[in-house]
Amino acid sequence: MIGMIDLNTVEEEEEEDADAAGAFVGGGAGVCLELWHACAGPLISLPKKGSSIVYMPQGHLEHLAVPDRGDSIRPPSLQPHVLCRVLHVKLHADVGTDEVYAQLSLLAQEQEVEVEESGEGEAEEFSGDSRPSLMPHMFCKTLTASDTSTHGGFSVPRRAAEDCFPPLDYKQQRPSQELVAKDLHGTEWRFRHIYRGQPRRHLLTTGWSAFINKKKLVSGDAVLFLRGNNGDLRLGIRRASQFKSDIPYSAVCNQKMSSGTLAAVADAVATKNVFHIFYNPRASPSEFIIPHWKFAKSFSYSFSIGMRFKMRFESEDAAERRHTGLITGIGDMDPVRWPGSKWRCLLVRWDDDVDARRQNRVSPWEIEPTGSVSGSTGLSAPGSKRTKICLPSVNPNFPVPNGSGCPDLGESSRFHKVLQGQEIIGYTSRYDGKDVSRSQVPGIRNHHYPEMRRCTNDVNSDILSAAGGGSRVPVGNSEFAYKCTGFGESYRFHKVLQGQEIFPRNSPYQGASIDSRAENGGFAGYFEGMHTSSAGRRGTEPFQGYSGLVPASTSSVQVSSPSSVLMFQQTSQVPWTSLVYESNKRDKGEDGSYCGFSNLSKLSSGQEASLPCRPYYTGNELNQEHTEPTKYAHGCVIEPGSKDDHNIGRNDCRLFGFSLTDRIPVASEADETLPTSPTITNINFETSFPLPKTQIAQIPSNSMGSSCTKVSTLYAVCATAPF
Amino acid sequence: MIGMIDLNTVEEEEEEDADAAGAFVGGGAGVCLELWHACAGPLISLPKKGSSIVYMPQGHLEHLAVPDRGDSIRPPSLQPHVLCRVLHVKLHADVGTDEVYAQLSLLAQEQEVEVEESGEGEAEEFSGDSRPSLMPHMFCKTLTASDTSTHGGFSVPRRAAEDCFPPLDYKQQRPSQELVAKDLHGTEWRFRHIYRGQPRRHLLTTGWSAFINKKKLVSGDAVLFLRGNNGDLRLGIRRASQFKSDIPYSAVCNQKMSSGTLAAVADAVATKNVFHIFYNPRASPSEFIIPHWKFAKSFSYSFSIGMRFKMRFESEDAAERRHTGLITGIGDMDPVRWPGSKWRCLLVRWDDDVDARRQNRVSPWEIEPTGSVSGSTGLSAPGSKRTKICLPSVNPNFPVPNGSGCPDLGESSRFHKVLQGQEIIGYTSRYDGKDVSRSQVPGIRNHHYPEMRRCTNDVNSDILSAAGGGSRVPVGNSEFAYKCTGFGESYRFHKVLQGQEIFPRNSPYQGASIDSRAENGGFAGYFEGMHTSSAGRRGTEPFQGYSGLVPASTSSVQVSSPSSVLMFQQTSQVPWTSLVYESNKRDKGEDGSYCGFSNLSKLSSGQEASLPCRPYYTGNELNQEHTEPTKYAHGCVIEPGSKDDHNIGRNDCRLFGFSLTDRIPVASEADETLPTSPTITNINFETSFPLPKTQIAQIPSNSMGSSCTKVSTLYAVCATAPF
DNA sequence: TTGTAGGCCCTGAGCCGACAA
DNA sequence: TTGTCGGCTCAGGGCCTACAA
């Protein structure tokens, strides 16, 4: 135990935190929530406990990847879309392979379910989990041949070592120490960390090969080091390819996902019993569980043959890529067994079909129309451009120390996005606290108090004016929206990408962040000042400090060499899109037969939401390319010169590979102080998916707790224009 | 591939054989049936496909060894004793630990089930599996410190090497070859086999440490080498202690045996669906599945407080030991949740309670009363001593070459018993066929034809007279009885014991055996001439050759040093006990409430069995000590001087640890040619377990196929005296 | 006959700096 | 800054015989 961490750490704190989040491995040891998400990959999210989701048996079968034998015959009683409440989410890691997977406990819901309960439940759940669990320092490195060779050890990127490892005594000729890192199972791994060579470099030597061998890591796999706020080191694995050696991959997980699953589900649904779904986020991209609102939202699009669309993918290097295509057909994928199912009901042709693996069938909720079909610019609702403007809604990530405002909303600050190879560092807190900022603005350390005070000001008007005002208002608080949609399990979701390093060396918030953190005794729930975007400390004044916290210079962000790197990026939920709720009281007829989800028509509106609202998107997605949304979305621009469609640095979270950030419907009681867009019309013309009446993504108005009711109105616009 | 086996082997033959027996590992590779049983241990047996068993949920819970949480609450509909039909038996081996376990597919039976179906099914199943699969050569060695050290290799006992391994060219100074052995998963392991050192010895060097490491073998564990009849080498493991390392033991198996199992069983029983039971024969001695007849038989005993009994155990060295005790109480083990259950309903005190692990509660079918209570010598039925006399019913193991008689009965010849450290070699067939017998009787090679011809003679009268005639007739054909009881899955069951070596060097049958085998082109289903006892080639004339094949001298058997050794012992089924069936047509009243198995009263008699028969034991077990039953049971006495109660060499097979050999009720159509015992009375006086009327172990008369109908009557006596 | 120990060889794990990308 | 290479050391795998139980 040489050179142990010297901070005032609280042992087992993360364990408890994981417990509080309901994250366990099978054996009972706690799984580090952050580590799980880091290992799961950048685009994986999970539904939150208590949220409403739609379960797709077809997709489940695909995920199981079991041969379509007799036992996979559709149980007659099982519908293609099953509305469920998520009762529990458990995070697991395969004992043999460290592969992460999740167990969801679902309960089929009646159509008459009061959506309000979801919101209440959420508020309660968050309260038990509002304790900060910061892990501001992390890095992910793809192993080189040298790293995995028996010949040598592990070459640690310099800044990664400085950021995540306890400092070495560089006065010595060969400084070294012993590192202890826990993996997902809580197993401790010990490494000798030495700084040597000419030129000097950080190496892990003794103990490394044992780790490599035990984990059966090969070149191309990636390891993650993650320093918790209490100083604990965590160690994760993200394999390049699925682990398919002589040892059967994910024996336990596959075991649980074996045949007969669907029959069990059908029985549970029929008998109103809980059933359990195992999901391996890295095994297959099946998105067989999607948020209720997302499913409902897909009805708002009018898909038609010939329509162009775009869709996001996770590429092999864990970077997100976007592909476009053309809808070539619409119809049931399996009209015999699953008639009326929307699962992969769209037949598409990709513009770049170089990737043969890509499915030629997609589900409506996976794609976004780009609106180039039939020249119907009307698909683009008015004000679409303003949705971009909303993105500079940078709010500070500094938490209110005692969280008197909306403590249950304080979790969005953990909604991280960690890019592997894309280093986004708001403040460069070295492990020893030295060299905090290389080119720091002098005197910045004294700014945090005024800024925090400014957070309490109502700057809504500023925000709105900055955003261009008008009908569309930025849903600046991603966490709020996230929570309202019920997919808060991933509120601390990280996104770790490889290949690009973004390092804002002279962020004016660095000093402030550090100081506030120190004064809060490590409690601080803030993150780097960069890329705070819309998410952040959302409390009574969500956009608080917006005007004051916009970085003075966007050039502070640098894009450096690929591979290796660290730090979290604040994930911004719904950064550049706005939501509009539309009153939908008119009876649109009983044409819901196709969608197979007519039960939605029975959904009642929220108690406090006086009017039934329907999620509505302004159509900005239909005619914009989203090539550089972050330019507009974030207070600091990632890299002004980047013109590819990778959207690196775009804050995206997906539920089962599905984006949670694009547009999140948020219901509010009514528009009180905000400009509304009462003239928004239903864009669902030319619909291929007739919408049942009041088929909405119903978000309870009280989902954020009573004290936040007013806040919610800041982010959601509910147009009450009757039809 | 140095020195590969030179026999005319048929590749994959055993694989197919395993398939035919329904033995698979999870992955699909075939599990060698013999190897599975060898690894499972000496006292483990399994029910046969199609047989009737009684399933005990309580025992299952014990076997699961899950904490008694809420989910182990007895499902209301689940009875403590469930009569089931075994639909399938699958043999498995844990991928990680090689631990063997079995999967039984059970279907709860109605009381009205026709027992005849079982017999028919058996005949069919056997037909598909009547192909000989001989493995006459095998050895098991407990690993020494040197064997497991990284410093050296594996020291092979000399005769083990000569018997199981291909011969070396001893003319070379250092003969060596490469051995290839398959484990339970079909994985090939290659070893360098060298003969060197001063004095010379057989060693496995290269490749051995890899095996040790991969299998995580330690000193004290045992390895089994097993040479198939086609020359294939098989390699098994029997761990000294349960494999409990950092890697969870038997993850897959335990997974399948996890919580909620009982609820699933209850549901399956209620819905008349098949349910699956996983049984780890080495995990716990729970005997939660017992043969139907065994369960019923336990009612024939009259257990009372103060009664003495004996019970068999498997000791740590895999040797069988017998312990005696006193019944101190009778009553439900769990009167709240499982009232009326007979599971461990007897409270006992052991005479030698040095072993604290021993349960102080036993089930009635586990023990045998010794009749020393209340001086009731009446418990000993008349003719008890004659049961010993029946044991010399040695029949030859030489098969009829073309099996025209009863091919489906030809399997008993595979009912092996392999004693580890107890070497029983009828003919010492070296691998190269040389040095067949070291002290062979001259000219014996010419004896086999007359003997085989003699096998076709009906020597029943001889047998009976030799057995003393009278009311009790030896059930000489163990296989037949075994099959009739439906527990034929283990018909090739091996018993491997450690600690004693019995080597009949000069058996007069050696030459004959070898020759007949050679002339049959390897088909021969015979075994060594020693210890043929009652089991063997049972065809139309089960006791054929009895008079002519009794060894001239019993001194041919030697007991040598413990540890290491080989060869199969023919398992004798019911070697020294006789069965008497008693007509039980009288109505004994509806007092079956206690036993919880009153459905037995609805059992109808077999179609061809004209009269309901009830298994009945003459009570010889009640007053004899069984110390040296083989003296009487076998044509050749194991070791005349052995006086301990180990009963080494006693041919015993257990179902889930339960003896199948003691007494096996066999139903017959009627007694045709055999002397019967019409005056046998029901000894079930003083009964603590009132028997429902016609509570019998019903064995179908046609269980051995129509061609064997007459044969069956030779072994079973059905007294038809009405009450 | 076979378990164990010591001698010996040699592979390869693993640490190091040099060098170059 | 860090990936890879060659050099180096050394533990231990592994083969052998000697000796003794």
Side-chain angles (χ1 to χ4, degrees):
Chain A
M1 301 284 269
I2 308 167
M4 274 304 288
I5 296 171
D6 197 12
L7 300 179
N8 52 351
T9 63
V10 178
E11 203 63 33
E12 300 302 324
E13 190 175 13
E14 292 188 17
E15 294 285 330
E16 297 172 26
D17 189 44
D19 286 2
F24 297 94
V25 287
V31 159
C32 177
L33 186 61
E34 290 81 2
L35 186 58
W36 191 96
H37 276 290
C39 294
L43 297 175
I44 302 303
S45 185
L46 289 174
K48 193 193 162 307
K49 183 176 174 179
S51 63
S52 285
I53 56 91
V54 178
Y55 164 74
M56 314 274 171
Q58 272 180 288
H60 194 191
L61 273 183
E62 250 182 48
H63 186 73
L64 295 179
V66 289
D68 199 348
R69 300 170 309 217
D71 57 357
S72 65
I73 287 178
R74 170 183 176 176
S77 66
L78 196 58
Q79 297 299 313
H81 322 108
V82 184
L83 177 63
C84 294
R85 170 69 46 89
V86 178
L87 295 190
H88 210 58
V89 178
K90 281 187 180 179
L91 306 183
H92 296 266
D94 187 275
V95 176
T97 67
D98 273 32
E99 206 70 24
V100 290
Y101 63 100
Q103 175 186 0
L104 307 181
S105 301
L106 304 179
L107 181 61
Q109 295 294 95
E110 300 290 334
Q111 291 90 325
E112 298 76 18
V113 62
E114 315 91 16
V115 193
E116 276 61 40
E117 290 181 0
S118 171
E120 293 174 5
E122 279 176 296
E124 291 173 7
E125 291 144 18
F126 271 101
S127 65
D129 196 33
S130 60
R131 186 159 50 95
S133 173
L134 297 178
M135 290 187 310
H137 302 282
M138 166 177 182
F139 76 94
C140 178
K141 183 194 176 187
T142 299
L143 298 177
T144 66
S146 294
D147 289 332
T148 52
S149 160
T150 61
H151 194 57
F154 175 61
S155 186
V156 187
R158 180 176 145 269
R159 288 213 310 283
E162 290 172 347
D163 194 62
C164 291
F165 296 160
L168 293 168
D169 179 13
Y170 295 103
K171 293 192 291 283
Q172 302 175 18
Q173 200 208 349
R174 273 186 195 165
S176 71
Q177 64 180 338
E178 183 183 42
L179 298 180
V180 181
K182 282 184 184 176
D183 65 11
L184 274 166
H185 316 291
T187 306
E188 284 188 351
W189 297 91
R190 293 166 187 274
F191 308 105
R192 181 175 177 231
H193 170 210
I194 193 168
Y195 186 68
R196 61 165 169 80
Q198 200 53 252
R200 293 270 181 263
R201 90 258 334 256
H202 291 271
L203 296 164
L204 298 187
T205 59
T206 307
W208 178 253
S209 67
F211 177 73
I212 289 290
N213 291 332
K214 280 290 179 62
K215 299 296 190 186
K216 299 189 195 305
L217 293 175
V218 296
S219 175
D221 294 338
V223 294
L224 304 91
F225 277 87
L226 190 148
R227 182 185 116 200
N229 59 333
N230 56 2
D232 274 2
L233 265 186
R234 296 283 179 169
L235 180 55
I237 294 170
R238 199 188 300 154
R239 295 181 194 277
S241 58
Q242 288 305 328
F243 189 80
K244 278 160 185 158
S245 67
D246 51 342
I247 295 179
Y249 159 65
S250 238
V252 174
C253 188
N254 284 336
Q255 181 72 35
K256 292 172 181 172
M257 303 194 301
S258 61
S259 61
T261 304
L262 229 51
V265 169
D267 184 66
V269 170
T271 59
K272 305 187 195 322
N273 279 319
V274 179
F275 59 100
H276 304 281
I277 299 297
F278 290 91
Y279 173 67
N280 185 335
R282 296 189 73 77
S284 79
S286 300
E287 305 171 359
F288 62 94
I289 290 186
I290 60 169
H292 183 182
W293 63 264
K294 183 78 176 183
F295 180 82
K297 192 207 72 175
S298 69
F299 289 92
S300 67
Y301 292 132
S302 49
F303 297 104
S304 57
I305 293 176
M307 175 181 279
R308 295 196 51 74
F309 68 94
K310 60 176 176 292
M311 181 172 168
R312 275 186 295 256
F313 287 91
E314 178 183 4
S315 61
E316 286 197 359
D317 60 352
E320 182 194 353
R321 305 189 187 282
R322 184 163 303 215
H323 294 283
T324 56
L326 192 71
I327 295 178
T328 59
I330 300 175
D332 289 344
M333 186 184 184
D334 187 346
V336 176
R337 290 193 299 180
W338 301 98
S341 171
K342 296 186 72 175
W343 176 260
R344 296 201 194 285
C345 68
L346 300 180
L347 199 63
V348 301
R349 187 178 66 231
W350 299 95
D351 295 341
D352 52 343
D353 52 357
V354 288
D355 193 351
R357 300 168 306 173
R358 214 177 299 154
Q359 291 270 357
N360 65 342
R361 277 186 168 277
V362 299
S363 301
W365 47 85
E366 294 178 296
I367 65 172
E368 304 160 18
T370 53
S372 64
V373 68
S374 70
S376 163
T377 57
L379 284 172
S380 174
S384 63
K385 285 181 181 177
R386 289 171 185 164
T387 60
K388 294 178 181 178
I389 304 174
C390 75
L391 290 168
S393 61
V394 177
N395 54 354
N397 289 309
F398 311 135
V400 177
N402 276 331
S404 58
C406 281
D408 60 323
L409 293 180
E411 299 309 316
S412 77
S413 56
R414 300 188 217 162
F415 210 96
H416 310 310
K417 184 174 186 178
V418 178
L419 305 177
Q420 179 176 358
Q422 177 174 359
E423 184 172 9
I424 305 167
I425 300 185
Y427 63 98
T428 57
S429 160
R430 295 269 298 275
Y431 196 98
D432 52 1
K434 294 183 291 191
D435 192 13
V436 168
S437 176
R438 292 160 190 268
S439 57
Q440 192 169 331
V441 176
I444 198 68
R445 300 175 79 91
N446 296 326
H447 284 184
H448 63 287
Y449 264 122
E451 283 164 356
M452 290 178 70
R453 266 183 248 111
R454 196 181 305 165
C455 292
T456 61
N457 296 332
D458 188 344
V459 290
N460 291 328
S461 58
D462 292 342
I463 296 168
L464 293 173
S465 60
S471 61
R472 269 149 209 89
V473 179
V475 181
N477 190 320
S478 68
E479 172 57 19
F480 167 63
Y482 189 70
K483 289 180 61 183
C484 287
T485 59
F487 278 71
E489 187 68 40
S490 297
Y491 53 95
R492 285 184 271 181
F493 183 78
H494 313 301
K495 182 169 186 177
V496 180
L497 293 179
Q498 269 183 306
Q500 197 153 0
E501 182 174 1
I502 302 170
F503 191 86
R505 292 174 185 270
N506 48 2
S507 164
Y509 311 109
Q510 292 177 358
S513 298
I514 290 166
D515 281 4
S516 67
R517 175 184 178 224
E519 295 179 11
N520 288 327
F523 175 88
Y526 54 78
F527 288 85
E528 307 72 34
M530 304 306 293
H531 293 278
T532 53
S533 72
S534 56
R537 177 58 191 175
R538 45 283 87 67
T540 50
E541 281 74 25
F543 293 150
Q544 54 195 330
Y546 159 73
S547 60
L549 288 176
V550 171
S553 168
T554 57
S555 64
S556 62
V557 177
Q558 297 178 352
V559 177
S560 65
S561 67
S563 186
S564 101
V565 185
L566 26 154
M567 295 312 298
F568 290 75
Q569 175 188 6
Q570 177 71 33
T571 302
S572 67
Q573 300 285 81
V574 199
W576 65 91
T577 62
S578 66
L579 300 178
V580 177
Y581 277 80
E582 170 193 17
S583 173
N584 195 10
K585 276 190 167 180
R586 62 171 179 176
D587 189 346
K588 296 192 71 173
E590 303 303 320
D591 52 356
S593 60
Y594 177 74
C595 76
F597 207 60
S598 58
N599 47 357
L600 278 171
S601 63
K602 300 178 183 175
L603 284 169
S604 64
S605 63
Q607 294 173 345
E608 299 183 39
S610 57
L611 294 173
C613 291
R614 181 170 169 278
Y616 173 65
Y617 299 95
T618 56
N620 58 297
E621 299 292 287
L622 302 179
N623 57 4
Q624 75 177 20
E625 282 305 309
H626 276 292
T627 51
E628 293 169 46
T630 50
K631 276 187 182 176
Y632 309 89
H634 296 81
C636 55
V637 176
I638 298 286
E639 170 58 271
S642 69
K643 289 188 176 65
D644 59 29
D645 58 355
H646 285 29
N647 284 313
I648 291 170
R650 179 179 175 194
N651 299 314
D652 182 36
C653 287
R654 302 204 304 178
L655 163 85
F656 283 47
F658 159 109
S659 174
L660 294 172
T661 59
D662 284 353
R663 48 200 77 75
I664 302 199
V666 179
S668 68
E669 307 167 88
D671 56 328
E672 296 177 356
T673 61
L674 292 177
T676 59
S677 176
T679 59
I680 300 291
T681 58
N682 183 359
I683 64 166
N684 190 30
F685 56 90
E686 281 189 357
T687 178
S688 298
F689 300 108
L691 279 171
K693 63 174 182 181
T694 67
Q695 177 172 326
I696 59 171
Q698 187 64 50
I699 305 302
S701 62
N702 59 348
S703 62
M704 71 301 292
S706 59
S707 64
C708 297
T709 302
K710 288 186 178 179
V711 176
S712 69
T713 63
L714 300 177
Y715 304 98
V717 178
C718 187
T720 60
F723 285 85
Chain B
M1 300 283 271
I2 309 167
M4 276 301 289
I5 295 173
D6 197 12
L7 299 180
N8 51 350
T9 63
V10 178
E11 203 62 31
E12 300 300 327
E13 188 175 14
E14 290 187 18
E15 296 284 329
E16 297 173 24
D17 189 41
D19 286 3
F24 297 92
V25 286
V31 159
C32 177
L33 187 60
E34 290 81 2
L35 187 57
W36 190 96
H37 275 292
C39 293
L43 296 174
I44 301 303
S45 185
L46 290 173
K48 194 197 161 304
K49 184 176 173 179
S51 64
S52 285
I53 57 93
V54 177
Y55 164 74
M56 313 273 172
Q58 273 180 288
H60 194 189
L61 274 183
E62 248 181 49
H63 186 71
L64 296 178
V66 290
D68 200 346
R69 300 172 308 218
D71 57 357
S72 65
I73 287 178
R74 169 184 178 174
S77 66
L78 196 58
Q79 296 300 312
H81 321 108
V82 184
L83 176 62
C84 294
R85 169 70 44 89
V86 178
L87 295 190
H88 210 58
V89 177
K90 281 188 180 177
L91 306 183
H92 296 265
D94 186 277
V95 176
T97 68
D98 272 34
E99 207 71 23
V100 291
Y101 62 100
Q103 175 186 2
L104 307 181
S105 300
L106 304 179
L107 180 62
Q109 295 293 94
E110 300 291 333
Q111 292 89 328
E112 296 77 18
V113 62
E114 313 92 18
V115 194
E116 275 60 39
E117 289 180 2
S118 170
E120 293 173 7
E122 278 177 296
E124 291 173 8
E125 291 146 15
F126 271 102
S127 65
D129 197 35
S130 59
R131 186 161 49 94
S133 173
L134 296 180
M135 288 190 311
H137 301 282
M138 167 178 182
F139 75 94
C140 178
K141 183 194 175 188
T142 299
L143 298 177
T144 67
S146 294
D147 290 331
T148 52
S149 160
T150 62
H151 196 54
F154 174 62
S155 185
V156 187
R158 180 177 145 267
R159 286 212 310 283
E162 291 172 348
D163 194 62
C164 290
F165 296 160
L168 293 168
D169 179 11
Y170 294 104
K171 293 192 292 284
Q172 302 176 17
Q173 201 209 348
R174 272 188 192 164
S176 71
Q177 64 180 337
E178 184 184 41
L179 297 180
V180 181
K182 282 184 184 175
D183 65 11
L184 274 166
H185 315 292
T187 307
E188 284 188 351
W189 297 91
R190 292 166 187 273
F191 307 106
R192 180 174 178 231
H193 170 209
I194 194 168
Y195 186 68
R196 61 165 169 80
Q198 202 52 249
R200 293 272 182 262
R201 89 254 338 252
H202 290 270
L203 295 165
L204 298 188
T205 57
T206 307
W208 178 253
S209 67
F211 177 75
I212 289 289
N213 292 332
K214 279 289 178 63
K215 300 294 190 185
K216 299 189 195 305
L217 293 174
V218 297
S219 175
D221 294 338
V223 294
L224 304 93
F225 276 89
L226 190 148
R227 181 183 118 202
N229 58 333
N230 56 0
D232 274 2
L233 265 186
R234 296 282 178 170
L235 181 53
I237 293 170
R238 198 186 301 152
R239 297 181 193 276
S241 58
Q242 289 303 328
F243 189 80
K244 280 161 184 155
S245 67
D246 50 339
I247 295 178
Y249 161 64
S250 236
V252 175
C253 187
N254 285 337
Q255 181 72 35
K256 293 172 180 172
M257 303 194 300
S258 59
S259 62
T261 303
L262 229 51
V265 169
D267 184 63
V269 170
T271 59
K272 305 190 196 320
N273 280 319
V274 179
F275 60 100
H276 305 280
I277 298 297
F278 290 92
Y279 173 67
N280 184 334
R282 296 189 73 76
S284 80
S286 300
E287 305 173 1
F288 62 94
I289 288 185
I290 60 168
H292 183 182
W293 63 263
K294 183 79 177 182
F295 181 82
K297 191 209 71 173
S298 69
F299 289 91
S300 68
Y301 292 130
S302 48
F303 297 103
S304 58
I305 294 177
M307 175 182 280
R308 295 195 51 75
F309 68 93
K310 59 177 175 293
M311 182 173 170
R312 275 187 295 257
F313 288 91
E314 179 183 3
S315 61
E316 287 199 358
D317 60 354
E320 181 194 354
R321 303 187 187 282
R322 183 162 302 214
H323 294 283
T324 56
L326 193 72
I327 296 178
T328 59
I330 299 175
D332 289 345
M333 187 183 182
D334 187 346
V336 176
R337 290 194 299 180
W338 301 98
S341 170
K342 295 185 72 176
W343 177 260
R344 296 200 194 284
C345 67
L346 300 180
L347 199 64
V348 301
R349 186 178 68 232
W350 299 96
D351 295 342
D352 52 344
D353 53 355
V354 288
D355 192 351
R357 300 167 306 173
R358 215 178 300 157
Q359 290 272 356
N360 66 342
R361 275 186 169 276
V362 299
S363 300
W365 47 86
E366 293 179 297
I367 65 172
E368 305 159 18
T370 53
S372 64
V373 67
S374 71
S376 163
T377 56
L379 283 173
S380 173
S384 63
K385 286 180 180 177
R386 290 170 185 163
T387 60
K388 295 179 181 178
I389 303 175
C390 74
L391 291 167
S393 61
V394 177
N395 55 353
N397 289 310
F398 311 135
V400 177
N402 275 329
S404 59
C406 281
D408 61 321
L409 292 179
E411 300 307 317
S412 77
S413 57
R414 300 188 217 160
F415 210 98
H416 311 307
K417 185 174 185 178
V418 178
L419 305 177
Q420 180 176 358
Q422 176 174 359
E423 185 174 7
I424 304 167
I425 301 184
Y427 64 98
T428 55
S429 159
R430 296 269 297 276
Y431 196 96
D432 52 1
K434 295 183 291 191
D435 192 13
V436 168
S437 175
R438 293 158 190 269
S439 59
Q440 193 170 329
V441 175
I444 199 69
R445 301 174 79 89
N446 296 324
H447 284 184
H448 62 287
Y449 264 121
E451 282 163 0
M452 290 178 69
R453 261 183 250 114
R454 195 182 306 163
C455 292
T456 62
N457 297 330
D458 188 341
V459 292
N460 291 328
S461 59
D462 293 342
I463 298 167
L464 293 172
S465 60
S471 61
R472 271 148 208 90
V473 178
V475 180
N477 188 320
S478 68
E479 171 58 19
F480 166 62
Y482 189 69
K483 289 181 59 184
C484 289
T485 59
F487 278 70
E489 188 67 39
S490 298
Y491 53 95
R492 286 185 271 182
F493 182 79
H494 313 297
K495 183 169 186 176
V496 180
L497 292 180
Q498 269 182 307
Q500 197 154 4
E501 183 176 359
I502 301 171
F503 192 84
R505 293 173 185 270
N506 49 3
S507 165
Y509 310 113
Q510 292 176 357
S513 299
I514 289 163
D515 281 4
S516 67
R517 175 185 178 226
E519 295 177 13
N520 288 328
F523 174 86
Y526 51 78
F527 287 86
E528 306 72 36
M530 304 306 293
H531 292 281
T532 53
S533 72
S534 56
R537 177 59 191 175
R538 27 315 58 79
T540 51
E541 281 75 25
F543 293 152
Q544 53 197 333
Y546 160 73
S547 60
L549 288 176
V550 172
S553 169
T554 58
S555 64
S556 62
V557 177
Q558 297 178 350
V559 177
S560 67
S561 68
S563 184
S564 98
V565 189
L566 27 157
M567 295 312 299
F568 291 73
Q569 175 188 8
Q570 176 72 34
T571 302
S572 66
Q573 300 283 84
V574 198
W576 64 92
T577 62
S578 66
L579 301 176
V580 176
Y581 277 80
E582 171 192 19
S583 173
N584 196 10
K585 277 190 164 179
R586 63 172 180 177
D587 189 345
K588 298 193 71 174
E590 303 304 320
D591 51 356
S593 61
Y594 177 76
C595 78
F597 206 61
S598 58
N599 46 355
L600 278 170
S601 62
K602 298 178 185 175
L603 283 170
S604 63
S605 61
Q607 293 174 344
E608 300 184 38
S610 57
L611 295 172
C613 291
R614 181 171 171 278
Y616 173 67
Y617 299 95
T618 58
N620 59 295
E621 298 293 285
L622 302 179
N623 56 6
Q624 77 179 20
E625 282 305 311
H626 278 290
T627 51
E628 295 170 44
T630 52
K631 276 187 182 177
Y632 309 90
H634 297 80
C636 56
V637 177
I638 298 285
E639 170 59 275
S642 68
K643 289 188 176 62
D644 58 33
D645 60 354
H646 286 29
N647 283 312
I648 292 168
R650 179 180 175 194
N651 300 313
D652 182 35
C653 288
R654 303 202 304 178
L655 165 86
F656 283 47
F658 157 110
S659 175
L660 295 173
T661 59
D662 286 352
R663 49 200 79 74
I664 302 198
V666 178
S668 69
E669 306 168 88
D671 55 328
E672 296 177 355
T673 62
L674 292 176
T676 60
S677 177
T679 59
I680 299 293
T681 57
N682 183 359
I683 66 165
N684 188 31
F685 56 90
E686 281 188 355
T687 178
S688 299
F689 301 108
L691 279 173
K693 63 175 180 179
T694 67
Q695 177 173 326
I696 60 172
Q698 187 66 47
I699 306 301
S701 61
N702 60 347
S703 64
M704 70 303 292
S706 58
S707 64
C708 296
T709 304
K710 288 185 179 179
V711 176
S712 69
T713 63
L714 299 177
Y715 303 98
V717 178
C718 186
T720 60
F723 285 84

